[in-house]
Amino acid sequence: MPIRPENRWLYPIDWPQISDRVRFGRARGRCERCARPHKRRVAHLGDGRWWDADARCWRSDTGRRIKGQRFVLARIRTTYVVLACAHLDHDPGNSTPGNLAALCQRCHMLHDAEEHRWQRWWNAYRIRAWRDLFESPQEVRLRANLSR
C-alpha cells in the first residue's frame, strides 16, 4: 500500500531499500505469515486457505500444507498478491529488522485490524469533540430535525 503524503515524513529516507530488503531478501518474495508468493494470482477459499501452484497443494492461513482438500479450481475466487512491509508495532519510525515483516494484503489487514478500529473510533471522537467546541446544542438539534 502506498504511503500517504501526509505520513511520508514519519518514514526513514531509505524506506524503499529497507522494504525491499525485508520483502525480497529475508522473506524471498513470500508472505512471512501465510507464504503466499508476491505478484502472483492465487486461488483462495476466503477463509485463509489457498492453492500453492508451485507445490501443488492447499495451504492453511499459516502456510502449512492441508491434506484431503478437493475443489474445482475454476469455481474458486482468485486474488493478486502484493507484499508490503509492515511495522509490527504500528510505529513507522521504528524500522528495525525485528519490527518489520513482509505480509500479503490479507495478513497485513488482519495484523492492522485492531489499529484500524482504534483509528476509526479516534476520528469519530475528534469530530464529535470539534462539534462540541464550535456548535451550540440548539444548532445541532435543529439540523438533525431538518434532515429527517
Side-chain angles (χ1 to χ4, degrees), residues 3-138:
I3 301 170
R4 292 181 185 166
E6 64 268 18
N7 295 335
R8 184 69 191 122
W9 66 275
L10 296 169
Y11 289 80
I13 292 172
D14 59 344
W15 176 249
Q17 292 83 9
I18 293 171
S19 176
D20 284 349
R21 195 167 43 245
V22 170
R23 291 181 298 148
F24 306 116
R26 185 175 78 195
R28 295 188 186 109
R30 288 189 169 260
C31 176
E32 291 184 316
R33 297 256 169 97
C34 68
R36 291 181 189 195
H38 179 62
K39 294 228 175 174
R40 299 271 290 283
R41 187 163 290 282
V42 297
H44 66 93
L45 301 177
D47 61 356
R49 294 178 293 174
W50 60 281
W51 176 252
D52 186 352
D54 295 337
R56 302 195 46 77
C57 68
W58 283 95
R59 294 198 180 270
S60 70
D61 59 346
T62 60
R64 294 188 175 154
R65 288 177 179 249
I66 301 174
K67 295 183 180 180
Q69 302 288 320
R70 300 270 186 230
F71 300 100
V72 179
L73 286 179
R75 295 184 183 168
I76 296 176
R77 296 177 287 183
T78 62
T79 188
Y80 187 70
V81 178
V82 178
L83 288 182
C85 190
H87 289 88
L88 299 178
D89 67 353
H90 307 289
D91 177 13
N94 182 4
S95 295
T96 58
N99 185 47
L100 301 175
L103 301 178
C104 66
Q105 304 99 306
R106 179 181 184 280
C107 294
H108 202 161
M109 288 302 289
L110 290 172
H111 174 74
D112 287 346
E114 185 63 33
E115 182 74 11
H116 291 170
R117 277 191 291 277
W118 182 87
Q119 192 64 49
R120 279 194 305 273
W121 175 86
W122 177 248
N123 289 339
Y125 177 80
R126 282 191 350 220
I127 290 169
R128 285 191 307 271
W130 187 258
R131 286 184 189 154
D132 291 345
L133 285 173
F134 295 103
E135 294 181 349
S136 70
Q138 294 81 12

